[in-house]
Amino acid sequence: MLEGKYNPETLDAAAQALWEAEGVHRYDRDSTAEIYSIDTPPPTVSGSQHIGHVFSYTQAECIARYQRMLGKNVFYPFGFDDNGLPTERLTEKEHGVLGREMPREAFVALCRETSARYKKEFEALWRSLGFSSDWSLVYSTIDERAIRISQRGFLDAYAKDQVYQHTSPTLWDTETQTAVAQAELESKDKRTKMNDLRFDLVAGGGVDGGHIVIATTRPELLCACVAIFIHPKHPQAAELLGQKAKVPLQDIEVEILADDKVDPEKGTGIVMCCTFGDKTDVEWYQKHRLDLRQGIGRDGRMTDLAGPEANLFANQARRAILERLTESGHLLGQEEIANAVNVFEKTGREIEFLPTKQWFIKVLDKKAKLVELGEKIRWHPTHMGKRYRNWVEGLDWDWCISRQRFFGVPFPVWFCEGCEHVFTAPEAWLPVLDHSNHEITDPCPSCGGTSWRPENDVMDTWATSSETPEINAQWGEPTPPDACPLPMTMRPQAHDIIRTWAFYTIVKSWIHFGDIPWADVMVSGHVQVGGRKKISKSKGNAPTDPNDMVRDHGADATRYWALSATLGNDYVYSEDDLKQGRRLCVKLWNASKLAQTHLQGFDRSAVTAAPLPVDTAIRTSLADTVRKASLDLDRYEFGIAKGVIEQFFWGELCDNYLEMIKNRLYDESPEGAEAREAARAGLYDVLYGVIRLLTPFTPHVTEAVYQALFRASEGTTSVGKAPWPSAEAPEGANEATAAWDAGVSVLTAVRRWRSEEKVSPGKPLSRVEVRAGADVAASAAAVAEDVKAAARIAELVVTEDESLDPGAVALQSAELAEPPAA
RNA sequence: GGGCGGAUAGCUCAGCUGGUUAGAGCACCUCGUUUACACCGAGGGGGUCGGGGGUUCGAAUCCCUCUCCGCCCA
C-alpha cells in the first residue's frame, strides 16, 4: 500500500533492500540473452567524491537500467582505482609521512588501509543512489586479480615486442621523484623573467672581444649548456656558425650550431641548449649527439656541475646565479614575460627532463592504426572521436609506464646482475606481489650468471586501468566464472580523460587482441558552477557534497538532476533541477495513490469492456512516448528521453487523462460498470507503462509504486526486471487521437474562460456552448462525456464554425449552475 | 598558434538533416483550494536566438567572419 506522503528516506532504503535481497541486478552467467557490458570507470580513491562523479556515473547507470529492461543480460561491474600515486599522496597527507622515507612494506600497508577505508565510503554513495551494479563483480586495481591481469598484460606486450626499456631523457617530477607520462602534464602560465646574457665568442685560444646575446628564462642551467643554436637563415648565421662561445661563469666552451627549430622571432634568435631545459633541448641532444651535462638531480636540486649553486633548488639557483651574472656584467637586460610551462598535474611542479632508465610501451609506431581503431568505435557524441584522433596524431613520446614509486603493480621482471638480461615471470608466478617470494633457479641464458636483481619500479596506474576490459573479462584467468566477452559493449567516461584512459585502453586492446576494446563510448560532460566555472578541489567551489545531496533531496531527485543534461555537454549545477526531480516523484506518488484507490480488487486479465476513445488515445500517446524515448536512450540521450517521458506523464496523463476518467472511476452504478472497467484498464496500463519508462531515471519511487500496485498481477520481482513497454499503437489509434485532441481543445477553452472570468475550476457549469473548427466538430462527440467530466459541465454543445481553423475552439457561452441551497 | 565544443527568455537548458506566431522548467504576475497532489491547478507577461556579412522564396538552424567562454594540445 502507498500511504502518507512521498518520503524518499524510507522509500529509497526499502527499494534498495529489495534489490539486494532478491539479487535483482545480478549478472546472469547462464543466460543466453544478448549481453550488454559496461566498462565502468573505477573512480580514483583519492579522498572525496564530488558531484561530478554523481553526474557522469548516474548517466551510465540510467543506460544500464534501460538495457536491462530491454531484456539484455547486463554486465555492470563496479571497480575502484586505488593503486598508484593518488593513493600514495593521500596516504602521505593523512599520515604525515613520505613513502620514500619509510620501509616499503610499511608504506604499502598504510596505502592499503587508506584505500580500503575510502572504498567503503565510495561504495556506500553509489548504493545510496540506487546503482544497479552487480556488486559481486566489484574489483579494485590493487587486488590480486587486477594485478595478475595487469602483469599478464605487460608480459603479453613484452612477448610481442611492444614494450622496451630505454635510458633517455624522461619527463620527471622532482617532488614525487618519479618519471611521468606525457598525458599527465598540464600547461600553466607563469610570470618569469627573460634574461639577456652575454656570451663571449672564443677564437683560437681565448676571448676575442666579440660576443652574442642569448635570452633565457633558465639561467641556472648555464652549467648544463652543451651547445648554442641559431636558425640557418639568421642574418648572423654565416658569420657565427663554426665558432665557439664561452658560457658565462662556467668553464665551458660550446659550439654554435644551426637548426631550423630555432624561432628567429623569439628573443635574439640565438638560443642555448642545456641538458635539459625543455623538450627542444631533448630533441637537439638526440639529433646532434650532444654531450650530457646534467644540471639538475632527481630531487630537483642542482648537481655539482652548478658550482656555487650546487644543492640549491632550481628556483633558488636561478636567483643566486642572476646575482653573480649581474656582478660579472653578463646580464645585459631583463624583461618580465608570461611563459607557458609544463607542470605535473598531481603536484603542480614544473617538469624536468632527466636521463633515466624507464619502461615504455610503443605507441608512436602505431599511430595510424590507433586512429583507424578510433574510427571503428562509435563515439557518443560523435565529435568526441575527433578529440581522440587529435590526441593520437599529436603524440611525441612512447608511453612511459614505469614509476619510481611504491604502491603499484610490480613489474614481473628480474635483471641478470652480470649482463642485464631480462627474466620475465612465468604465468604460474602471477601475481608477483613481492619479488623475494620467487627464486630463479636457471642460470642466465645469455651470460650464465646466477645472480638476479628484481625490478623495483612499479607500473603507473594507467598501465593497469587501461586493462579494465581485460579485468572485467577475466582475461587469461583459469576459470572465468562470470566473464563477459570482449570487446565490451560500452565504455562510459568523461571527456577530459579521452587522452588517457580511453587512449591507453585502446592501445592495450590493440596489442593484446588487435581489436577495439568496446563498441561504444559514452562521453559525459563536466559539472560546472555558476558562471561556467570548473569545479576544482583547489578552489573549493563545489556547491554541495554528494552525500548531502542524496540526504536532502532523495536518491531519485539527485538522479533526476544528473540526468537532465545532454550527453557530452558540461552542465551548470542548479538546485532547481533537484527540486524539479522531487516534484516529479511527489506527482508520481500522488497519481499512484489515486490509482490505488480505484484499482483495489481490479483484475486486469479479466477485462472485457471495450476501451473508450480517450482510453485508446492515452495508450497511443504512451506508445508514441515509448518510441521516442527509446530512440533517444538508444543514442545515450537520457536527458531528452526524460523530457519526453515527463511531458507524457505530467502534461497528458495527469493533467488531462486522469481528469477525464474521474467520473467513470467514481461511478459505481451498474449502468456505469463497463465504462468504469474501461477506465480502470486504461489507468492500469498507462500507469504501469509510465513507471517502467521512469525506472531508469527514478527507480526508487517507481519500485514503490510497482510493488504496491503491479507486483501481484505482473509477477516480476522488481520493476527493474520488468519488460520495457511496447511502442506499438493500439487499434483505432488515429480516430481516438483525433477525438482526444478535439476534447483537449474544448477542455482548454473552458479552462481559459474560467481563468479569465475568475471562475473556480471547481464550480460546476450547467451549460457550455462552443464553436469549433471542422476537425474538432467532427470528433468532439466521441469524447464529450469525458470532457464534460473533466470540465465540470452538465451540458456541452459543440457547433461547427467554418470560419475557424480545423483544430480551433471558441467558447460561445457558459452558464454557472445554480449554487446549491445553503 | 592548433583541435573540439559552447554563446537561445532574469536563471538552467531544449530546438539546429532550413519551413506555421522560437519551446520547457524555475523565477515573475493574475486567478483558484474539486474528495491524488499547494512539492497543486488554470491563465499570462517576457527572447531583434552573441555581433556582422552571405546563400535562399524562407535561417536560431547552412556558409564566411569577428567577439567572448570552456576543455585539450602547442
Side-chain angles (χ1 to χ4, degrees):
Chain A
M1 281 292 280
L2 305 173
E3 278 168 8
K5 293 195 164 184
Y6 168 70
N7 178 3
E9 252 174 79
T10 51
L11 179 157
D12 290 357
Q16 286 161 19
L18 171 90
W19 300 335
E20 185 66 26
E22 302 278 356
V24 171
H25 306 126
R26 279 290 169 105
Y27 172 62
D28 183 356
R29 52 202 72 164
D30 301 321
S31 166
T32 54
E34 181 185 343
I35 290 172
Y36 188 92
S37 55
I38 301 174
D39 188 17
T40 312
T44 305
V45 180
S46 61
S48 64
Q49 300 168 105
H50 58 71
I51 58 172
H53 290 109
V54 172
F55 184 70
S56 55
Y57 280 76
T58 302
Q59 296 176 356
E61 207 278 339
C62 171
I63 298 300
R65 284 185 174 271
Y66 167 62
Q67 293 291 341
R68 193 178 291 113
M69 292 179 79
L70 287 181
K72 293 185 191 165
N73 190 18
V74 173
F75 180 88
Y76 184 29
F78 219 90
F80 298 96
D81 192 11
D82 42 12
N83 95 41
L85 199 51
T87 306
E88 289 194 14
R89 286 177 60 77
L90 176 65
T91 305
E92 288 180 339
K93 196 172 137 206
E94 287 203 341
H95 293 268
V97 298
L98 277 179
R100 62 171 175 270
E101 288 176 358
M102 59 190 292
R104 183 179 189 139
E105 297 70 36
F107 182 60
V108 166
L110 269 187
C111 289
R112 280 191 183 279
E113 180 273 321
T114 304
S115 71
R117 189 154 33 81
Y118 280 101
K119 222 179 317 182
K120 209 177 268 177
E121 219 175 85
F122 277 37
E123 187 174 327
L125 173 67
W126 302 122
R127 283 178 182 268
S128 79
L129 280 161
F131 272 35
S132 64
S133 289
D134 182 341
W135 293 99
S136 71
L137 298 175
V138 76
Y139 68 87
S140 120
T141 55
I142 201 70
D143 69 26
E144 289 201 7
R145 181 182 65 169
I147 292 178
R148 191 162 53 235
I149 291 170
S150 178
Q151 292 179 335
R152 186 173 293 135
F154 173 83
L155 293 173
D156 182 59
Y158 187 85
K160 290 171 174 163
D161 195 27
Q162 294 298 311
V163 65
Y164 64 96
Q165 217 187 1
H166 183 55
T167 302
S168 69
T170 308
L171 300 166
W172 184 270
D173 178 58
T174 55
E175 181 175 331
T176 53
Q177 297 188 22
T178 178
V180 303
Q182 186 186 351
E184 293 168 293
L185 303 187
E186 273 174 7
S187 91
K188 220 186 214 177
D189 277 330
K190 288 211 168 166
R191 304 291 308 176
T192 185
K193 291 207 169 79
M194 184 65 92
N195 306 285
D196 290 335
L197 302 183
R198 193 188 82 216
F199 279 55
D200 296 318
L201 295 170
V202 288
V207 176
D208 70 351
H211 72 266
I212 52 175
V213 179
I214 286 178
T216 179
T217 57
R218 300 202 66 182
E220 76 277 14
L221 287 173
L222 282 173
C223 63
C225 183
V226 291
I228 286 168
F229 282 96
I230 184 167
H231 195 278
K233 291 190 177 142
H234 191 279
Q236 283 181 275
E239 125 195 27
L240 291 174
L241 283 174
Q243 295 209 51
K244 285 191 171 183
K246 182 175 182 298
V247 182
L249 304 181
Q250 313 294 322
D251 192 17
I252 315 171
E253 291 178 5
V254 295
E255 269 187 273
I256 302 176
L257 305 170
D259 195 292
D260 53 16
K261 264 217 132 178
V262 181
D263 182 354
E265 304 294 313
K266 209 170 168 185
T268 58
I270 309 175
V271 298
M272 67 174 183
C273 170
C274 307
T275 51
F276 298 95
D278 61 23
K279 203 176 82 184
T280 315
D281 289 344
V282 175
E283 284 173 32
W284 284 335
Y285 164 78
Q286 287 164 341
K287 179 171 162 192
H288 296 274
R289 301 181 176 277
L290 302 170
D291 292 338
L292 175 68
R293 297 176 56 83
Q294 194 178 333
I296 295 177
R298 293 187 165 210
D299 55 2
R301 292 172 187 271
M302 304 304 295
T303 61
D304 290 345
L305 287 180
E309 282 84 32
N311 268 326
L312 294 178
F313 286 109
N315 53 354
Q316 300 170 320
R318 189 174 308 165
R319 285 193 292 273
I321 200 162
L322 279 171
E323 274 179 34
R324 294 209 289 138
L325 288 163
T326 308
E327 278 168 31
S328 67
H330 286 98
L331 180 64
L332 302 180
Q334 270 188 331
E335 189 194 357
E336 179 133 328
I337 59 158
N339 191 26
V341 296
N342 276 324
V343 300
F344 180 40
E345 62 180 4
K346 302 277 192 327
T347 61
R349 282 239 188 154
E350 285 184 44
I351 278 294
E352 300 290 355
F353 297 83
L354 291 186
T356 52
K357 198 172 196 186
Q358 304 291 349
W359 290 97
F360 293 86
I361 290 185
K362 295 180 185 173
V363 294
L364 296 178
D365 64 348
K366 51 180 81 69
K367 276 188 183 186
K369 197 71 216 177
L370 291 170
V371 166
E372 200 180 299
L373 283 180
E375 269 154 21
K376 271 180 75 182
I377 295 166
R378 291 189 298 259
W379 300 81
H380 304 268
T382 30
H383 70 80
M384 293 297 176
K386 294 186 198 157
R387 289 202 184 192
Y388 165 83
R389 187 190 177 120
N390 184 235
W391 171 256
V392 174
E393 287 175 343
L395 284 169
D396 296 321
W397 303 69
D398 274 335
W399 173 19
C400 174
I401 57 163
S402 45
R403 297 291 181 271
Q404 290 64 56
R405 297 295 300 183
F406 320 101
F407 188 56
V409 174
F411 285 86
V413 158
W414 286 255
F415 304 103
C416 170
E417 292 276 29
C419 68
E420 293 296 305
H421 177 84
V422 172
F423 175 90
T424 53
E427 167 68 31
W429 288 9
L430 305 186
V432 174
L433 301 174
D434 182 345
H435 290 80
S436 63
N437 292 339
H438 304 279
E439 200 189 336
I440 303 169
T441 49
D442 294 339
C444 173
S446 144
C447 73
T450 52
S451 186
W452 298 93
R453 182 184 80 250
E455 169 61 279
N456 277 324
D457 287 357
V458 294
M459 291 187 208
D460 175 46
T461 313
W462 292 116
T464 299
S465 53
S466 58
E467 304 268 5
T468 52
E470 290 78 9
I471 293 171
N472 285 321
Q474 309 208 11
W475 173 52
E477 297 289 279
T479 50
D482 31 37
C484 69
L486 293 175
M488 294 183 74
T489 314
M490 192 269 277
R491 149 69 65 88
Q493 63 164 78
H495 55 65
D496 56 335
I497 52 174
I498 289 174
R499 68 199 173 111
T500 49
W501 196 36
F503 167 67
Y504 290 146
T505 308
I506 294 169
V507 169
K508 289 290 193 68
S509 178
W510 170 248
I511 290 174
H512 300 324
F513 313 114
D515 200 358
I516 53 176
W518 356 257
D520 285 14
V521 183
M522 168 185 180
V523 184
S524 63
H526 282 152
V527 180
Q528 301 180 321
V529 289
R532 299 211 151 267
K533 294 277 177 348
K534 186 180 176 180
I535 293 179
S536 74
K537 227 181 276 177
S538 54
K539 286 189 195 132
N541 60 354
T544 181
D545 174 272
N547 292 296
D548 294 346
M549 227 167 151
V550 177
R551 190 196 57 216
D552 296 343
H553 301 275
D556 287 344
T558 303
R559 296 171 59 102
Y560 182 99
W561 159 73
L563 297 170
S564 293
T566 42
L567 184 65
N569 284 332
D570 293 344
Y571 195 72
V572 176
Y573 172 81
S574 138
E575 199 169 318
D576 285 344
D577 283 328
L578 288 159
K579 289 186 183 154
Q580 178 62 13
R582 175 88 171 211
R583 279 162 22 96
L584 178 70
C585 294
V586 168
K587 189 78 176 176
L588 180 61
W589 178 263
N590 288 326
S592 300
K593 276 176 71 176
L594 169 69
Q596 181 176 250
T597 61
H598 296 289
L599 294 177
Q600 295 296 321
F602 174 71
D603 180 359
R604 180 67 184 86
S605 62
V607 169
T608 55
L612 270 57
V614 297
D615 303 324
T616 301
I618 196 72
R619 287 191 180 91
T620 305
S621 182
L622 171 67
D624 196 44
T625 303
V626 172
R627 185 182 58 80
K628 287 182 188 152
S630 304
L631 285 173
D632 287 325
L633 287 167
D634 286 341
R635 61 189 184 105
Y636 301 106
E637 282 294 0
F638 41 81
I640 314 266
K642 189 187 69 158
V644 167
I645 296 163
E646 201 174 0
Q647 162 58 29
F648 167 76
F649 167 64
W650 206 306
E652 299 191 55
L653 174 51
C654 291
D655 289 348
N656 292 324
Y657 183 65
L658 290 181
E659 295 304 321
M660 290 202 243
I661 63 170
K662 266 183 188 170
N663 270 13
R664 284 196 272 151
L665 289 173
Y666 280 107
D667 181 2
E668 297 194 30
S669 69
E671 311 84 73
E674 193 168 330
R676 179 171 185 244
E677 189 182 68
R680 292 169 96 191
L683 177 60
Y684 182 101
D685 289 353
V686 292
L687 184 63
Y688 182 42
V690 88
I691 65 164
R692 284 179 289 163
L693 287 175
L694 282 170
T695 291
F697 305 90
T698 57
H700 301 86
V701 66
T702 58
E703 188 67 84
V705 172
Y706 178 80
Q707 295 298 326
L709 301 183
F710 301 103
R711 166 122 185 223
S713 47
E714 299 296 331
T716 311
T717 24
S718 159
V719 69
K721 290 288 252 187
W724 190 246
S726 162
E728 199 182 319
E731 217 173 293
N734 290 344
E735 305 79 52
T737 300
W740 169 275
D741 290 346
V744 169
S745 296
V746 173
L747 190 53
T748 302
V750 177
R751 283 169 172 168
R752 183 175 297 122
W753 177 83
R754 284 180 185 271
S755 186
E756 281 164 2
E757 299 299 318
K758 308 198 191 312
V759 175
S760 160
K763 280 193 183 157
L765 301 176
S766 55
R767 178 182 160 89
V768 167
E769 286 186 41
V770 299
R771 290 180 290 114
D775 289 356
V776 175
S779 305
V783 292
E785 287 309 308
D786 288 330
V787 171
K788 280 156 68 183
R792 297 188 173 252
I793 308 170
E795 188 184 356
L796 173 66
V797 181
V798 178
T799 331
E800 183 168 348
D801 182 340
E802 288 175 358
S803 70
L804 293 173
D805 286 342
V809 170
L811 193 120
Q812 182 71 26
S813 71
E815 293 164 20
L816 276 173
E818 288 302 311

